[in-house]
Amino acid sequence: WPKSKYHYPTRLFEAVRADLVELGLGPMPRHREILNWAGKKHNPYMEKHEDKLRWASGRELRSRGDVFFFTGCTGPYRMPTVCQDVYDVAAVAGVSLAVSPDEWCCGSIALRVGDRGLAEALARHNLEVFEKAGAKTIVTHCAGCYRTIKKDYPEILGELPFEVLHVTEFFAGLVEDGKLELTEGELTVTYHDPCHLGRHCEVYEEPRRLIGSAPGVKLVEMKRNRSGALCCGAGGGVKSAFPELALSIAKERLAQAKETGARLLLSACPFCERNLSDAGATDPSLKVQVKDVSSFLKERLKMK
């Protein structure tokens, strides 16, 4: 694959991991187990693929449309409420999202731990799913999926025939177009920049504009934010192989959130929300309510 034009240190480490896998020196045992399952059942969570759309219970889904909601794996299998919230917010704005049970894992985990062969197979399958759905725009709530489809897929597949948006970009546009109205209520919040959304793709302002569009909401920044934000600790295969390290990093981030005095910590990645919440559950002194931006937005909606 061609050399990336962005975030060279990240690409350097990923290239080293890929070389190690090719030499038979990787991936790590836990990562190998996860990748084997992703190859067989198309997700890294040891879940059945046919359970992919359990989150959509009671919702009438369409398989074709201009806007395709790529749900990923963490949402459907571990945080289904986030998928529901994304779908429901779009519906209030009059946007019917296309969803397919045939989508597979985006391949982010495979790429991060060095299995480029699996990542390419997953990417090529998903491209066929997008084309079959007639998608002109791909929307994803997972920062890892977003970075993979937007930045990695063009390197694997060539130029993509559709636009790729993170849900914060998508919803920010809907708010600015007057298609979503938010209720008023005083609240102080802080925002955690996911690595894949922030440093890797430089999406910093859209989530903040979206949060700030809620009347009465005050956004206060942590001392480390935007390109200098501390990782939540879950990415790059860390949470699966080194869970204690992942929680340790998340606790440091929670301490930074508490310093702001905010009542709510928002993020825009299910990996981040899950790991930060897990860390808070292990240490009551760091307990901070953590919520996805899409869920926060749904709670603030003026229903039409």
Side-chain angles (χ1 to χ4, degrees), residues 52-287:
K52 183 86 169 179
L53 296 183
R54 282 184 302 182
W55 64 267
S57 176
R59 292 164 176 80
E60 187 175 343
L61 302 181
R62 58 187 300 187
S63 60
R64 289 183 56 83
D66 290 347
V67 185
F68 185 97
F69 177 27
F70 185 83
T71 59
C73 300
T74 304
Y77 295 116
R78 292 293 180 267
M79 303 179 70
T81 301
V82 176
C83 291
Q84 295 168 354
D85 292 343
V86 170
Y87 190 88
D88 293 347
V89 171
V92 170
V95 179
S96 182
L97 299 173
V99 178
S100 174
D102 297 325
E103 72 164 50
W104 290 357
C105 172
C106 71
S108 178
I109 290 179
L111 286 169
R112 306 316 150 221
V113 302
D115 192 339
R116 288 181 170 176
L118 175 59
E120 181 171 345
L122 296 170
R124 293 196 181 281
H125 172 84
N126 285 329
L127 179 61
E128 292 179 2
V129 171
F130 300 152
E131 291 175 339
K132 183 178 178 180
K136 296 179 181 178
T137 301
I138 308 298
V139 173
T140 176
H141 71 290
C142 176
C145 294
Y146 174 76
R147 175 248 161 114
T148 301
I149 298 173
K150 189 175 183 71
K151 296 291 187 180
D152 295 309
Y153 276 25
E155 293 191 357
I156 302 171
L157 306 170
E159 185 177 355
L160 300 178
F162 44 73
E163 180 183 25
V164 183
L165 294 176
H166 186 264
V167 72
T168 55
E169 297 175 297
F170 181 60
F171 286 155
L174 293 177
V175 170
E176 288 159 10
D177 289 343
K179 294 181 179 180
L180 291 171
E181 294 184 63
L182 306 182
T183 59
E184 188 169 353
E186 292 189 5
L187 181 66
T188 301
V189 306
T190 191
Y191 173 72
H192 165 76
D193 291 278
C195 296
H196 286 152
L197 187 63
R199 276 189 289 272
H200 294 191
C201 295
E202 298 184 337
V203 178
Y204 297 118
E205 301 312 317
E206 289 86 347
R208 290 171 168 82
R209 289 208 313 270
L210 186 58
I211 295 166
S213 66
V217 171
K218 179 183 179 182
L219 174 62
V220 291
E221 297 285 359
M222 286 182 269
K223 62 184 179 183
R224 294 186 59 174
N225 60 78
R226 293 180 172 81
S227 62
L230 182 69
C231 174
C232 77
V238 175
K239 190 170 180 65
S240 55
F242 306 101
E244 294 304 318
L245 175 60
L247 291 176
S248 175
I249 296 171
K251 287 178 182 178
E252 184 175 348
R253 190 57 166 162
L254 288 177
Q256 294 174 7
K258 288 204 72 172
E259 287 178 2
T260 68
R263 290 175 51 196
L264 183 63
L265 170 58
L266 297 174
S267 189
C269 175
F271 272 86
C272 295
E273 182 186 353
R274 187 176 175 214
N275 196 47
L276 291 167
S277 296
D278 288 348
T282 66
D283 188 344
S285 70
L286 295 174
K287 187 69 174 179

